[in-house]
Short mmCIF file of all heavy atoms in Angstrom, two decimals:
data_model
loop_
_atom_site.label_atom_id
_atom_site.label_comp_id
_atom_site.label_asym_id
_atom_site.label_seq_id
_atom_site.Cartn_x
_atom_site.Cartn_y
_atom_site.Cartn_z
N MET A 1 0.87 -1.18 0.02
CA MET A 1 0.03 -0.02 0.02
C MET A 1 0.93 1.22 0.06
O MET A 1 1.91 1.29 0.75
CB MET A 1 -0.87 -0.02 1.26
CG MET A 1 -1.90 1.08 1.31
SD MET A 1 -3.20 0.92 0.19
CE MET A 1 -4.48 0.22 1.17
N VAL A 2 0.50 2.22 -0.78
CA VAL A 2 1.31 3.50 -0.88
C VAL A 2 0.42 4.67 -0.61
O VAL A 2 -0.73 4.64 -0.84
CB VAL A 2 1.98 3.66 -2.32
CG1 VAL A 2 0.88 3.75 -3.42
CG2 VAL A 2 2.93 4.82 -2.30
N ALA A 3 0.99 5.68 0.12
CA ALA A 3 0.22 6.86 0.52
C ALA A 3 1.16 7.99 0.38
O ALA A 3 2.39 7.85 0.61
CB ALA A 3 -0.30 6.74 1.93
N PHE A 4 0.65 9.16 0.09
CA PHE A 4 1.50 10.40 -0.08
C PHE A 4 0.98 11.48 0.75
O PHE A 4 -0.26 11.56 0.96
CB PHE A 4 1.42 10.88 -1.58
CG PHE A 4 2.36 10.16 -2.51
CD1 PHE A 4 2.06 8.97 -2.87
CD2 PHE A 4 3.46 10.88 -2.97
CE1 PHE A 4 2.89 8.33 -3.83
CE2 PHE A 4 4.21 10.26 -3.95
CZ PHE A 4 4.04 8.92 -4.35
N ALA A 5 1.85 12.31 1.26
CA ALA A 5 1.37 13.46 2.02
C ALA A 5 2.43 14.58 1.71
O ALA A 5 3.63 14.38 2.09
CB ALA A 5 1.12 13.30 3.27
N VAL A 6 2.07 15.61 1.14
CA VAL A 6 2.86 16.87 1.01
C VAL A 6 2.26 17.98 1.89
O VAL A 6 1.02 18.20 1.85
CB VAL A 6 2.89 17.30 -0.50
CG1 VAL A 6 3.70 18.61 -0.68
CG2 VAL A 6 3.57 16.22 -1.38
N VAL A 7 3.06 18.72 2.66
CA VAL A 7 2.52 19.67 3.59
C VAL A 7 1.80 20.76 2.75
O VAL A 7 2.29 21.14 1.66
CB VAL A 7 3.68 20.31 4.53
CG1 VAL A 7 4.04 19.30 5.52
CG2 VAL A 7 4.66 20.89 3.69
N ASP A 8 0.68 21.27 3.29
CA ASP A 8 -0.26 22.11 2.61
C ASP A 8 0.45 23.22 1.78
O ASP A 8 0.19 23.51 0.63
CB ASP A 8 -1.23 22.77 3.61
CG ASP A 8 -2.22 21.82 4.14
OD1 ASP A 8 -2.14 20.57 3.83
OD2 ASP A 8 -3.07 22.20 4.93
N GLU A 9 1.37 23.97 2.44
CA GLU A 9 1.94 25.10 1.83
C GLU A 9 2.90 24.77 0.61
O GLU A 9 3.31 25.64 -0.06
CB GLU A 9 2.75 26.02 2.85
CG GLU A 9 3.82 25.35 3.51
CD GLU A 9 3.39 24.79 4.96
OE1 GLU A 9 2.28 24.18 5.09
OE2 GLU A 9 4.18 24.90 5.93
N HIS A 10 3.15 23.47 0.42
CA HIS A 10 4.03 23.11 -0.64
C HIS A 10 3.34 22.30 -1.63
O HIS A 10 3.92 21.69 -2.57
CB HIS A 10 5.33 22.37 -0.16
CG HIS A 10 6.21 23.15 0.60
ND1 HIS A 10 6.91 24.36 0.23
CD2 HIS A 10 6.59 23.16 1.99
CE1 HIS A 10 7.53 24.89 1.10
NE2 HIS A 10 7.39 24.12 2.26
N GLN A 11 2.01 22.13 -1.54
CA GLN A 11 1.22 21.32 -2.49
C GLN A 11 1.05 22.11 -3.80
O GLN A 11 1.19 23.35 -3.82
CB GLN A 11 -0.17 20.94 -1.94
CG GLN A 11 -0.01 20.00 -0.79
CD GLN A 11 -1.41 19.77 -0.18
OE1 GLN A 11 -2.47 20.11 -0.72
NE2 GLN A 11 -1.49 18.99 0.86
N GLY A 12 0.91 21.35 -4.84
CA GLY A 12 0.68 21.92 -6.16
C GLY A 12 1.99 22.49 -6.79
O GLY A 12 1.88 23.39 -7.75
N GLN A 13 3.07 22.11 -6.29
CA GLN A 13 4.40 22.59 -6.99
C GLN A 13 5.18 21.47 -7.60
O GLN A 13 6.37 21.61 -7.83
CB GLN A 13 5.16 23.26 -5.79
CG GLN A 13 4.61 24.38 -5.19
CD GLN A 13 5.41 24.89 -3.88
OE1 GLN A 13 6.65 24.76 -3.94
NE2 GLN A 13 4.81 25.19 -2.86
N GLY A 14 4.52 20.31 -7.85
CA GLY A 14 5.23 19.17 -8.47
C GLY A 14 5.90 18.26 -7.58
O GLY A 14 6.57 17.36 -8.09
N ILE A 15 5.68 18.40 -6.26
CA ILE A 15 6.59 17.54 -5.36
C ILE A 15 5.99 16.13 -5.37
O ILE A 15 6.76 15.15 -5.50
CB ILE A 15 6.56 18.11 -3.95
CG1 ILE A 15 7.25 19.38 -3.95
CG2 ILE A 15 7.19 16.98 -2.93
CD1 ILE A 15 7.17 20.16 -2.62
N GLY A 16 4.69 15.94 -5.39
CA GLY A 16 4.12 14.71 -5.39
C GLY A 16 4.47 13.90 -6.65
O GLY A 16 4.83 12.77 -6.67
N ALA A 17 4.38 14.54 -7.88
CA ALA A 17 4.75 13.99 -9.12
C ALA A 17 6.21 13.57 -9.10
O ALA A 17 6.62 12.54 -9.46
CB ALA A 17 4.40 14.89 -10.18
N ALA A 18 7.09 14.39 -8.54
CA ALA A 18 8.54 14.22 -8.50
C ALA A 18 8.89 13.06 -7.74
O ALA A 18 9.85 12.32 -7.91
CB ALA A 18 9.38 15.43 -8.11
N LEU A 19 8.14 12.83 -6.58
CA LEU A 19 8.45 11.70 -5.68
C LEU A 19 8.06 10.35 -6.20
O LEU A 19 8.61 9.24 -5.69
CB LEU A 19 7.82 11.98 -4.27
CG LEU A 19 8.28 13.05 -3.45
CD1 LEU A 19 7.45 13.19 -2.18
CD2 LEU A 19 9.77 12.64 -2.92
N MET A 20 7.07 10.35 -7.08
CA MET A 20 6.49 9.06 -7.47
C MET A 20 7.47 8.09 -7.90
O MET A 20 7.53 6.98 -7.46
CB MET A 20 5.43 9.37 -8.45
CG MET A 20 4.63 8.14 -8.93
SD MET A 20 3.66 7.48 -7.63
CE MET A 20 4.05 5.72 -7.86
N ARG A 21 8.32 8.53 -8.92
CA ARG A 21 9.25 7.49 -9.55
C ARG A 21 10.24 7.02 -8.57
O ARG A 21 10.41 5.79 -8.58
CB ARG A 21 9.78 8.01 -10.83
CG ARG A 21 8.88 7.95 -12.06
CD ARG A 21 9.56 7.60 -13.32
NE ARG A 21 8.61 6.86 -14.14
CZ ARG A 21 8.74 5.66 -14.49
NH1 ARG A 21 9.69 4.86 -14.14
NH2 ARG A 21 7.79 5.04 -15.40
N PRO A 22 10.97 7.91 -7.97
CA PRO A 22 12.06 7.36 -7.02
C PRO A 22 11.50 6.55 -5.84
O PRO A 22 12.10 5.52 -5.50
CB PRO A 22 12.73 8.69 -6.44
CG PRO A 22 11.95 9.79 -6.94
CD PRO A 22 11.13 9.31 -8.10
N LEU A 23 10.23 6.87 -5.40
CA LEU A 23 9.65 6.09 -4.31
C LEU A 23 9.25 4.75 -4.77
O LEU A 23 9.42 3.73 -4.21
CB LEU A 23 8.44 6.82 -3.73
CG LEU A 23 8.76 8.01 -2.82
CD1 LEU A 23 7.42 8.61 -2.25
CD2 LEU A 23 9.63 7.47 -1.50
N ALA A 24 8.75 4.67 -6.06
CA ALA A 24 8.35 3.46 -6.68
C ALA A 24 9.57 2.55 -6.84
O ALA A 24 9.37 1.24 -6.86
CB ALA A 24 7.62 3.67 -8.04
N ALA A 25 10.74 3.03 -7.04
CA ALA A 25 11.92 2.15 -7.24
C ALA A 25 12.29 1.39 -6.02
O ALA A 25 12.81 0.32 -6.18
CB ALA A 25 13.09 3.14 -7.57
N ILE A 26 11.89 1.92 -4.89
CA ILE A 26 12.22 1.10 -3.60
C ILE A 26 11.51 -0.25 -3.49
O ILE A 26 12.15 -1.27 -3.47
CB ILE A 26 11.99 1.98 -2.38
CG1 ILE A 26 12.86 3.17 -2.41
CG2 ILE A 26 12.17 1.16 -1.04
CD1 ILE A 26 12.40 4.21 -1.41
N PRO A 27 10.13 -0.30 -3.58
CA PRO A 27 9.51 -1.58 -3.62
C PRO A 27 9.84 -2.49 -4.81
O PRO A 27 9.89 -3.71 -4.89
CB PRO A 27 8.00 -1.27 -3.62
CG PRO A 27 7.93 0.15 -4.11
CD PRO A 27 9.19 0.76 -3.65
N ARG A 28 10.18 -1.77 -5.94
CA ARG A 28 10.52 -2.50 -7.10
C ARG A 28 11.78 -3.24 -6.92
O ARG A 28 11.94 -4.45 -7.30
CB ARG A 28 10.76 -1.50 -8.32
CG ARG A 28 10.57 -2.01 -9.69
CD ARG A 28 10.67 -0.80 -10.59
NE ARG A 28 10.30 -1.20 -11.98
CZ ARG A 28 10.26 -0.25 -12.93
NH1 ARG A 28 10.77 0.93 -12.73
NH2 ARG A 28 10.01 -0.67 -14.11
N ARG A 29 12.81 -2.61 -6.30
CA ARG A 29 14.03 -3.28 -5.97
C ARG A 29 13.82 -4.38 -4.93
O ARG A 29 14.58 -5.39 -4.99
CB ARG A 29 15.08 -2.29 -5.43
CG ARG A 29 15.84 -1.50 -6.45
CD ARG A 29 17.17 -0.91 -5.96
NE ARG A 29 16.83 0.06 -4.87
CZ ARG A 29 16.59 1.36 -4.95
NH1 ARG A 29 16.60 1.80 -6.17
NH2 ARG A 29 16.38 2.11 -3.95
N ALA A 30 12.86 -4.22 -4.11
CA ALA A 30 12.64 -5.32 -3.13
C ALA A 30 11.78 -6.47 -3.72
O ALA A 30 11.50 -7.40 -3.11
CB ALA A 30 11.85 -4.71 -1.91
N GLY A 31 11.56 -6.30 -5.02
CA GLY A 31 10.87 -7.53 -5.64
C GLY A 31 9.34 -7.43 -5.78
O GLY A 31 8.68 -8.38 -6.16
N LEU A 32 8.77 -6.32 -5.28
CA LEU A 32 7.24 -6.17 -5.42
C LEU A 32 6.97 -5.78 -6.82
O LEU A 32 7.69 -4.99 -7.39
CB LEU A 32 6.73 -5.06 -4.37
CG LEU A 32 7.05 -5.33 -2.97
CD1 LEU A 32 6.39 -4.16 -2.14
CD2 LEU A 32 6.46 -6.73 -2.50
N ASN A 33 5.86 -6.25 -7.27
CA ASN A 33 5.44 -5.85 -8.74
C ASN A 33 4.21 -4.99 -8.77
O ASN A 33 3.75 -4.69 -9.80
CB ASN A 33 5.39 -7.05 -9.63
CG ASN A 33 4.51 -8.06 -8.98
OD1 ASN A 33 3.62 -7.76 -8.28
ND2 ASN A 33 4.70 -9.43 -9.38
N GLU A 34 3.63 -4.70 -7.62
CA GLU A 34 2.39 -3.89 -7.65
C GLU A 34 2.36 -2.93 -6.39
O GLU A 34 2.63 -3.43 -5.41
CB GLU A 34 1.18 -4.76 -7.77
CG GLU A 34 -0.04 -4.03 -8.03
CD GLU A 34 -1.22 -4.94 -8.18
OE1 GLU A 34 -1.77 -5.50 -7.11
OE2 GLU A 34 -1.71 -5.13 -9.32
N LEU A 35 1.84 -1.76 -6.70
CA LEU A 35 1.46 -0.87 -5.53
C LEU A 35 -0.05 -0.59 -5.61
O LEU A 35 -0.51 -0.34 -6.72
CB LEU A 35 2.14 0.52 -5.67
CG LEU A 35 3.66 0.61 -5.44
CD1 LEU A 35 4.20 2.06 -5.62
CD2 LEU A 35 4.03 0.11 -4.10
N VAL A 36 -0.69 -0.62 -4.48
CA VAL A 36 -2.11 -0.27 -4.52
C VAL A 36 -2.40 0.84 -3.51
O VAL A 36 -1.66 1.03 -2.59
CB VAL A 36 -2.94 -1.68 -4.01
CG1 VAL A 36 -2.77 -2.75 -5.02
CG2 VAL A 36 -2.61 -2.07 -2.63
N ALA A 37 -3.46 1.56 -3.84
CA ALA A 37 -3.84 2.66 -3.08
C ALA A 37 -5.25 2.89 -3.13
O ALA A 37 -5.92 2.41 -4.14
CB ALA A 37 -3.16 3.99 -3.65
N GLU A 38 -5.86 3.56 -2.12
CA GLU A 38 -7.23 3.93 -2.20
C GLU A 38 -7.32 5.31 -2.10
O GLU A 38 -6.71 5.96 -1.10
CB GLU A 38 -8.00 3.28 -0.94
CG GLU A 38 -8.12 1.76 -1.06
CD GLU A 38 -8.98 1.09 0.00
OE1 GLU A 38 -9.14 1.77 1.06
OE2 GLU A 38 -9.31 0.00 -0.20
N VAL A 39 -7.90 6.04 -3.05
CA VAL A 39 -7.92 7.50 -3.22
C VAL A 39 -9.39 7.99 -3.20
O VAL A 39 -10.21 7.35 -3.87
CB VAL A 39 -7.24 7.90 -4.53
CG1 VAL A 39 -7.11 9.39 -4.56
CG2 VAL A 39 -5.86 7.27 -4.66
N LEU A 40 -9.62 9.07 -2.49
CA LEU A 40 -10.97 9.63 -2.56
C LEU A 40 -11.24 10.09 -3.96
O LEU A 40 -10.39 10.70 -4.58
CB LEU A 40 -11.19 10.68 -1.51
CG LEU A 40 -11.00 10.35 -0.01
CD1 LEU A 40 -11.13 11.63 0.86
CD2 LEU A 40 -12.19 9.39 0.22
N PRO A 41 -12.46 9.89 -4.50
CA PRO A 41 -12.69 10.23 -5.86
C PRO A 41 -12.46 11.74 -6.19
O PRO A 41 -12.24 12.03 -7.43
CB PRO A 41 -14.21 9.84 -6.10
CG PRO A 41 -14.44 8.87 -5.05
CD PRO A 41 -13.59 9.24 -3.86
N ASP A 42 -12.58 12.52 -5.24
CA ASP A 42 -12.46 13.98 -5.42
C ASP A 42 -10.97 14.46 -5.28
O ASP A 42 -10.80 15.70 -5.37
CB ASP A 42 -13.47 14.81 -4.66
CG ASP A 42 -13.19 14.78 -3.15
OD1 ASP A 42 -12.27 13.92 -2.83
OD2 ASP A 42 -13.81 15.42 -2.42
N ASN A 43 -10.10 13.59 -5.09
CA ASN A 43 -8.70 13.86 -4.91
C ASN A 43 -7.89 13.91 -6.23
O ASN A 43 -7.12 13.02 -6.49
CB ASN A 43 -7.98 13.04 -3.93
CG ASN A 43 -6.63 13.45 -3.37
OD1 ASN A 43 -6.15 14.35 -4.02
ND2 ASN A 43 -6.17 12.91 -2.32
N GLY A 44 -8.28 14.93 -7.00
CA GLY A 44 -7.69 14.99 -8.38
C GLY A 44 -6.17 14.99 -8.45
O GLY A 44 -5.55 14.32 -9.17
N PRO A 45 -5.45 15.77 -7.55
CA PRO A 45 -4.05 15.82 -7.54
C PRO A 45 -3.37 14.45 -7.35
O PRO A 45 -2.44 14.07 -8.07
CB PRO A 45 -3.60 16.75 -6.45
CG PRO A 45 -4.83 17.75 -6.37
CD PRO A 45 -6.11 16.88 -6.68
N MET A 46 -4.02 13.67 -6.33
CA MET A 46 -3.39 12.26 -6.16
C MET A 46 -3.61 11.35 -7.27
O MET A 46 -2.71 10.66 -7.71
CB MET A 46 -4.04 11.70 -4.82
CG MET A 46 -3.23 10.51 -4.31
SD MET A 46 -1.49 10.91 -3.80
CE MET A 46 -0.59 9.87 -4.84
N LEU A 47 -4.80 11.43 -7.86
CA LEU A 47 -5.10 10.55 -8.96
C LEU A 47 -4.25 10.98 -10.17
O LEU A 47 -3.73 10.11 -10.88
CB LEU A 47 -6.55 10.80 -9.38
CG LEU A 47 -7.52 10.04 -8.38
CD1 LEU A 47 -9.00 10.42 -8.68
CD2 LEU A 47 -7.38 8.57 -8.31
N LYS A 48 -3.93 12.30 -10.36
CA LYS A 48 -3.02 12.74 -11.45
C LYS A 48 -1.60 12.16 -11.21
O LYS A 48 -0.89 11.79 -12.19
CB LYS A 48 -3.03 14.20 -11.56
CG LYS A 48 -4.18 14.75 -12.44
CD LYS A 48 -3.94 16.19 -12.73
CE LYS A 48 -5.00 16.72 -13.62
NZ LYS A 48 -4.87 18.19 -13.91
N VAL A 49 -1.21 12.29 -9.95
CA VAL A 49 0.22 11.80 -9.63
C VAL A 49 0.40 10.26 -10.13
O VAL A 49 1.30 9.94 -10.82
CB VAL A 49 0.53 11.93 -8.15
CG1 VAL A 49 1.73 11.09 -7.72
CG2 VAL A 49 0.69 13.36 -7.82
N PHE A 50 -0.70 9.54 -9.82
CA PHE A 50 -0.65 8.06 -10.22
C PHE A 50 -0.77 7.95 -11.71
O PHE A 50 -0.08 7.17 -12.37
CB PHE A 50 -1.68 7.30 -9.51
CG PHE A 50 -1.50 7.02 -7.98
CD1 PHE A 50 -2.45 7.17 -7.07
CD2 PHE A 50 -0.15 6.75 -7.58
CE1 PHE A 50 -2.31 6.93 -5.78
CE2 PHE A 50 -0.02 6.53 -6.22
CZ PHE A 50 -0.97 6.68 -5.28
N GLU A 51 -1.76 8.75 -12.28
CA GLU A 51 -1.87 8.55 -13.73
C GLU A 51 -0.68 9.08 -14.54
O GLU A 51 -0.43 8.52 -15.52
CB GLU A 51 -3.15 9.53 -14.10
CG GLU A 51 -4.51 8.85 -13.94
CD GLU A 51 -5.56 9.78 -13.82
OE1 GLU A 51 -5.36 11.04 -14.25
OE2 GLU A 51 -6.69 9.52 -13.44
N ASN A 52 0.08 10.03 -14.07
CA ASN A 52 1.16 10.53 -14.91
C ASN A 52 2.35 9.95 -14.39
O ASN A 52 3.57 10.35 -14.79
CB ASN A 52 1.32 12.00 -14.61
CG ASN A 52 0.09 12.75 -15.20
OD1 ASN A 52 -0.63 12.25 -16.02
ND2 ASN A 52 -0.21 14.02 -14.75
N SER A 53 2.37 8.67 -13.66
CA SER A 53 3.54 8.18 -13.07
C SER A 53 4.33 7.45 -14.13
O SER A 53 5.53 7.13 -13.92
CB SER A 53 3.32 7.14 -11.95
OG SER A 53 2.54 6.04 -12.52
N GLY A 54 3.67 7.04 -15.22
CA GLY A 54 4.43 6.28 -16.23
C GLY A 54 4.18 4.73 -16.10
O GLY A 54 4.55 3.98 -16.92
N PHE A 55 3.69 4.45 -14.99
CA PHE A 55 3.43 3.00 -14.77
C PHE A 55 1.92 2.58 -15.17
O PHE A 55 1.17 3.46 -15.23
CB PHE A 55 3.56 2.58 -13.19
CG PHE A 55 4.85 2.84 -12.59
CD1 PHE A 55 5.16 3.88 -11.74
CD2 PHE A 55 5.84 1.90 -12.96
CE1 PHE A 55 6.30 4.15 -11.22
CE2 PHE A 55 7.11 2.11 -12.41
CZ PHE A 55 7.39 3.19 -11.52
N HIS A 56 1.86 1.38 -15.65
CA HIS A 56 0.49 0.88 -16.05
C HIS A 56 -0.45 0.89 -14.84
O HIS A 56 0.01 0.45 -13.77
CB HIS A 56 0.64 -0.51 -16.62
CG HIS A 56 -0.69 -1.03 -17.07
ND1 HIS A 56 -1.46 -0.58 -18.10
CD2 HIS A 56 -1.44 -1.90 -16.50
CE1 HIS A 56 -2.63 -1.16 -18.14
NE2 HIS A 56 -2.71 -2.00 -17.12
N LEU A 57 -1.59 1.37 -15.05
CA LEU A 57 -2.46 1.61 -13.84
C LEU A 57 -3.83 1.10 -14.18
O LEU A 57 -4.37 1.14 -15.25
CB LEU A 57 -2.48 3.14 -13.66
CG LEU A 57 -3.51 3.81 -12.80
CD1 LEU A 57 -2.91 5.01 -12.23
CD2 LEU A 57 -4.74 4.19 -13.57
N THR A 58 -4.43 0.43 -13.17
CA THR A 58 -5.92 0.04 -13.23
C THR A 58 -6.60 0.76 -12.07
O THR A 58 -5.95 0.98 -10.97
CB THR A 58 -6.00 -1.42 -13.18
OG1 THR A 58 -5.44 -1.97 -12.02
CG2 THR A 58 -5.44 -2.26 -14.34
N ARG A 59 -7.82 1.12 -12.38
CA ARG A 59 -8.58 1.85 -11.39
C ARG A 59 -9.96 1.19 -11.27
O ARG A 59 -10.48 0.84 -12.40
CB ARG A 59 -8.82 3.28 -11.89
CG ARG A 59 -7.72 4.19 -11.78
CD ARG A 59 -8.15 5.59 -11.88
NE ARG A 59 -8.52 5.98 -13.21
CZ ARG A 59 -8.88 7.14 -13.54
NH1 ARG A 59 -8.79 8.15 -12.75
NH2 ARG A 59 -9.25 7.40 -14.75
N LYS A 60 -10.39 1.07 -10.11
CA LYS A 60 -11.82 0.57 -9.86
C LYS A 60 -12.49 1.55 -8.86
O LYS A 60 -11.99 1.81 -7.81
CB LYS A 60 -11.76 -0.82 -9.27
CG LYS A 60 -12.23 -1.86 -10.23
CD LYS A 60 -12.26 -3.23 -9.43
CE LYS A 60 -11.46 -4.25 -10.14
NZ LYS A 60 -11.14 -5.42 -9.28
N ARG A 61 -13.57 2.19 -9.34
CA ARG A 61 -14.29 3.14 -8.60
C ARG A 61 -15.43 2.46 -7.84
O ARG A 61 -16.19 1.67 -8.35
CB ARG A 61 -14.72 4.24 -9.47
CG ARG A 61 -15.77 5.15 -8.99
CD ARG A 61 -15.21 6.42 -8.53
NE ARG A 61 -16.15 7.05 -7.61
CZ ARG A 61 -16.72 8.32 -7.88
NH1 ARG A 61 -16.31 8.93 -9.07
NH2 ARG A 61 -17.47 8.97 -7.10
N THR A 62 -15.46 2.70 -6.45
CA THR A 62 -16.67 2.21 -5.74
C THR A 62 -17.40 3.59 -5.37
O THR A 62 -16.94 4.71 -5.79
CB THR A 62 -16.27 1.51 -4.45
OG1 THR A 62 -15.67 2.47 -3.61
CG2 THR A 62 -15.30 0.43 -4.74
N SER A 63 -18.43 3.51 -4.62
CA SER A 63 -19.11 4.79 -4.28
C SER A 63 -18.20 5.62 -3.43
O SER A 63 -18.48 6.79 -3.31
CB SER A 63 -20.46 4.35 -3.57
OG SER A 63 -20.07 3.52 -2.49
N GLU A 64 -17.32 5.02 -2.71
CA GLU A 64 -16.51 5.83 -1.64
C GLU A 64 -15.10 6.12 -2.11
O GLU A 64 -14.59 7.19 -1.78
CB GLU A 64 -16.47 5.02 -0.45
CG GLU A 64 -17.87 5.11 0.41
CD GLU A 64 -17.97 4.16 1.46
OE1 GLU A 64 -17.01 3.45 1.82
OE2 GLU A 64 -19.04 4.08 2.01
N VAL A 65 -14.53 5.08 -2.76
CA VAL A 65 -12.99 5.32 -3.11
C VAL A 65 -12.77 4.79 -4.55
O VAL A 65 -13.53 4.15 -5.17
CB VAL A 65 -12.04 4.60 -2.11
CG1 VAL A 65 -12.09 5.19 -0.75
CG2 VAL A 65 -12.37 3.10 -2.18
N VAL A 66 -11.44 5.31 -4.97
CA VAL A 66 -10.93 4.67 -6.23
C VAL A 66 -9.88 3.82 -5.84
O VAL A 66 -8.90 4.21 -5.15
CB VAL A 66 -10.51 5.81 -7.09
CG1 VAL A 66 -9.99 5.14 -8.44
CG2 VAL A 66 -11.53 6.82 -7.47
N HIS A 67 -9.94 2.50 -6.15
CA HIS A 67 -8.82 1.58 -5.91
C HIS A 67 -7.87 1.61 -7.05
O HIS A 67 -8.36 1.41 -8.13
CB HIS A 67 -9.28 0.03 -5.80
CG HIS A 67 -10.32 -0.09 -4.55
ND1 HIS A 67 -9.89 -0.38 -3.27
CD2 HIS A 67 -11.66 -0.03 -4.59
CE1 HIS A 67 -10.92 -0.47 -2.57
NE2 HIS A 67 -12.06 -0.32 -3.22
N VAL A 68 -6.75 1.93 -6.82
CA VAL A 68 -5.66 2.19 -7.90
C VAL A 68 -4.55 1.06 -7.69
O VAL A 68 -4.13 0.77 -6.54
CB VAL A 68 -4.95 3.48 -7.69
CG1 VAL A 68 -3.88 3.71 -8.70
CG2 VAL A 68 -5.94 4.59 -7.86
N ALA A 69 -4.29 0.41 -8.80
CA ALA A 69 -3.23 -0.60 -8.76
C ALA A 69 -2.17 -0.15 -9.83
O ALA A 69 -2.47 -0.04 -10.97
CB ALA A 69 -3.72 -1.97 -8.96
N LEU A 70 -0.89 0.05 -9.33
CA LEU A 70 0.10 0.29 -10.21
C LEU A 70 1.07 -0.78 -10.53
O LEU A 70 1.57 -1.42 -9.53
CB LEU A 70 1.00 1.46 -9.70
CG LEU A 70 0.39 2.88 -9.54
CD1 LEU A 70 1.40 3.76 -8.81
CD2 LEU A 70 0.10 3.50 -10.92
N SER A 71 1.26 -1.20 -11.79
CA SER A 71 2.10 -2.34 -12.03
C SER A 71 3.58 -1.75 -12.17
O SER A 71 3.90 -0.88 -12.92
CB SER A 71 1.70 -2.90 -13.42
OG SER A 71 2.70 -3.75 -13.75
N LEU A 72 4.36 -2.27 -11.32
CA LEU A 72 5.84 -1.82 -11.31
C LEU A 72 6.69 -2.67 -12.28
O LEU A 72 7.88 -2.36 -12.44
CB LEU A 72 6.46 -2.04 -9.96
CG LEU A 72 5.68 -1.27 -8.82
CD1 LEU A 72 6.36 -1.45 -7.44
CD2 LEU A 72 5.59 0.25 -9.04
N SER A 73 6.21 -3.70 -12.97
CA SER A 73 6.97 -4.57 -13.80
C SER A 73 7.06 -4.05 -15.15
O SER A 73 6.29 -3.01 -15.61
CB SER A 73 6.48 -5.91 -13.76
OG SER A 73 5.12 -6.05 -13.95
C1 COA B 1 -2.04 14.51 -3.23
C2 COA B 1 -0.69 15.10 -2.97
C3 COA B 1 0.32 14.02 -2.44
C4 COA B 1 -0.10 15.59 -4.37
O1 COA B 1 1.06 16.22 -4.28
P1 COA B 1 1.38 17.66 -4.87
O2 COA B 1 2.85 17.87 -4.70
O3 COA B 1 0.47 18.64 -4.25
O4 COA B 1 1.02 17.32 -6.41
P2 COA B 1 1.75 17.87 -7.65
O5 COA B 1 2.03 19.38 -7.47
O6 COA B 1 2.87 17.00 -8.08
O7 COA B 1 0.53 17.89 -8.74
C5 COA B 1 0.03 16.54 -9.22
C6 COA B 1 -1.00 16.93 -10.32
O8 COA B 1 -2.18 17.53 -9.63
C7 COA B 1 -2.45 18.80 -10.10
N1 COA B 1 -2.81 19.64 -9.00
C8 COA B 1 -2.03 19.89 -7.79
N2 COA B 1 -2.83 20.50 -6.99
C9 COA B 1 -3.90 20.93 -7.59
C10 COA B 1 -5.03 21.67 -7.18
N3 COA B 1 -5.10 22.25 -5.97
N4 COA B 1 -6.11 21.75 -8.08
C11 COA B 1 -6.12 21.15 -9.31
N5 COA B 1 -4.98 20.41 -9.68
C12 COA B 1 -3.94 20.30 -8.82
C13 COA B 1 -1.10 19.25 -10.73
O9 COA B 1 -1.40 20.21 -11.74
C14 COA B 1 -0.49 18.04 -11.24
O10 COA B 1 -1.17 17.66 -12.54
P3 COA B 1 -0.30 17.70 -13.84
O11 COA B 1 0.78 16.59 -13.64
O12 COA B 1 -1.31 17.24 -14.88
O13 COA B 1 0.14 19.02 -14.01
C15 COA B 1 -0.79 16.35 -2.03
O14 COA B 1 -1.68 17.27 -2.66
C16 COA B 1 -1.14 16.00 -0.63
O15 COA B 1 -0.38 15.75 0.26
N6 COA B 1 -2.56 16.08 -0.44
C17 COA B 1 -3.08 15.84 0.97
C18 COA B 1 -2.85 14.33 1.37
C19 COA B 1 -3.50 13.44 0.39
O16 COA B 1 -4.55 13.64 -0.19
N7 COA B 1 -2.74 12.38 0.18
C20 COA B 1 -3.22 11.28 -0.76
C21 COA B 1 -4.12 10.15 -0.01
S1 COA B 1 -4.44 8.83 -0.89
#
């Protein structure tokens, strides 16, 4: 499971996007091939970070959350 938090005053400056690839390299090196996350449907910035990560992504929307699975392989 992966989760991100950027302090309020530094949000929207590209930090989340910049962290995605180097952070994903850690579980990849450890042999994991998938990261999963649950994102609130109205959390556009987080969904964009995942969508623009360059990894293959699947999304499943429920009434409450979007289940995201990122393929690291
Ligand atoms: C979600 C979060 C980690 C994203 O990190 P960030 O550094 O703010 O995001 P970035 O600046 O890299 O922006 C990512 C994308 O969202 C967009 N975005 C960022 N803030 C936005 C805002 N307030 N409104 C609209 N779009 C926004 C950016 O334009 C970018 O899209 P692009 O790549 O198409 O240009 C950060 O906002 C955060 O910590 N939020 C609170 C905690 C949270 O929700 N964590 C996720 C729980 S699953």
